[in-house]
Amino acid sequence: MRSYTQLLLAGVVLCIVTVQTGLPLRGQSEPKRRPVFEVASIKSIGPTTPLTKLELGHGSLRVGTTVIWLITLAFDLSRPLVEGSPSWTEQEFYDIDARGEPSADSGQIKVMLQSLLAERFNLRFHREKKEMPAYLLTVAQQGKLPKESKEGTERDADGSILMHADGLTGRGATMTSLCEFLWEGVLQQPVRDDTKLSGAYDFSLLYDRHDPMSIVVALRRSGLDLRKANVQFEVLYVDHIERPSRN
């Protein structure tokens, strides 16, 4: 019969082997692998080269853009919520042609892009909470709210919100997208969606583009309102990033 000491030593050896090999114990599942692109081409392009229009779907991503824009796309962030990135990430352009599993949806493609940024651009980052002066988009009058888009209208498609001489129009646009557009295209200040409206909407907001705050009156005509507040946002801080490795 084995002694107590022999059994104890055998258990220690088993634990060491399990830890070093990383093999799962019986009953444990393998850690879920993050989706990645099967092939990805990244080419530097000059400032006068026509940019490839965004194509995102069926497991593939094609676009000509800056690295900072890729970061905002991958992590679903507005540009002001990314800090610490070097100037070249906004000044240099790259053509991206990446392909993965055709069944991957847009959310999975964005996770693949996160992996691509980590592997090819050596992106390292951390997140922090930061309080900023901001606007809250809220519901003012239910009866005046924009009409929901017709069934079959693509939600937040490219060009779902367009600016024109007299204001802006939306088709199939969510309140989240409207907030992002107001933030980056009109007010140049953070805007958070507090409407609790989850649909896609068609709307027309007429205002004086030379007076950005006139958008407030246009929103009230559509049953919405903007109010000032100090709001806490989660900011992505770039700790390290490099120009892409070769294909």
Side-chain angles (χ1 to χ4, degrees):
M1 183 180 292
R2 294 183 181 178
S3 69
Y4 175 78
T5 303
Q6 287 175 317
L7 291 171
L8 182 61
L9 287 172
V12 171
V13 171
L14 176 61
C15 289
I16 292 172
V17 170
T18 303
V19 171
Q20 288 181 341
T21 60
L23 294 174
L25 296 173
R26 183 177 296 177
Q28 289 183 333
S29 59
E30 292 278 0
K32 194 171 182 180
R33 184 171 173 267
R34 285 168 62 90
V36 295
F37 292 115
E38 294 169 2
V39 291
S41 168
I42 304 174
K43 297 177 182 177
S44 176
I45 54 178
T48 59
T49 304
L51 297 178
T52 302
K53 188 178 179 181
L54 174 65
E55 297 175 20
L56 187 150
H58 305 292
S60 298
L61 169 67
R62 285 206 67 205
V63 68
T65 189
T66 60
V67 176
I68 196 70
W69 191 90
L70 290 175
I71 294 173
T72 62
L73 175 66
F75 295 95
D76 277 325
L77 294 170
S78 296
R79 171 62 189 91
L81 294 183
V82 180
E83 297 189 5
S85 55
S87 59
W88 66 265
T89 61
E90 297 193 85
Q91 297 166 354
E92 298 178 10
F93 291 82
Y94 294 88
D95 190 81
I96 312 294
D97 187 353
R99 303 177 188 277
E101 172 58 46
S103 62
D105 59 23
S106 60
Q108 291 170 315
I109 293 171
K110 290 177 180 181
V111 175
M112 293 178 186
L113 180 54
Q114 293 175 22
S115 299
L116 184 72
L117 288 164
E119 293 168 7
R120 298 289 297 277
F121 293 86
N122 204 16
L123 172 66
R124 301 291 181 268
F125 65 90
H126 70 279
R127 299 177 189 265
E128 289 184 16
K129 298 287 187 181
K130 184 175 181 180
E131 191 171 272
M132 305 178 185
Y135 290 96
L136 303 180
L137 183 68
T138 60
V139 172
Q141 289 183 271
Q142 288 281 350
K144 292 183 176 181
L145 290 173
K147 292 183 178 179
E148 290 205 39
S149 305
K150 292 180 180 179
E151 188 175 346
T153 303
E154 190 174 353
R155 185 184 179 95
D156 284 341
D158 187 29
S160 61
I161 301 179
L162 295 173
M163 187 173 282
H164 49 79
D166 298 324
L168 60 88
T169 55
R171 184 175 182 273
T174 62
M175 291 295 109
T176 299
S177 289
L178 176 58
C179 287
E180 291 175 358
F181 196 94
L182 293 173
W183 181 340
E184 298 183 28
V186 181
L187 299 170
Q188 306 301 317
Q189 200 167 346
V191 181
R192 191 180 76 185
D193 177 19
D194 270 18
T195 63
K196 296 181 173 62
L197 299 175
S198 59
Y201 300 88
D202 297 342
F203 50 82
S204 179
L205 301 174
L206 303 179
Y207 69 100
D208 181 1
R209 288 177 55 184
H210 300 291
D211 176 15
M213 290 311 299
S214 65
I215 190 72
V216 175
V217 177
L219 287 166
R220 285 174 181 163
R221 286 195 294 263
S222 296
L224 300 167
D225 198 11
L226 280 177
R227 61 184 181 85
K228 289 186 175 182
N230 287 326
V231 178
Q232 205 172 64
F233 290 92
E234 188 172 74
V235 176
L236 185 150
Y237 286 89
V238 175
D239 298 315
H240 180 82
I241 193 166
E242 301 171 2
R243 289 177 174 84
S245 57
R246 291 187 177 185
N247 292 315

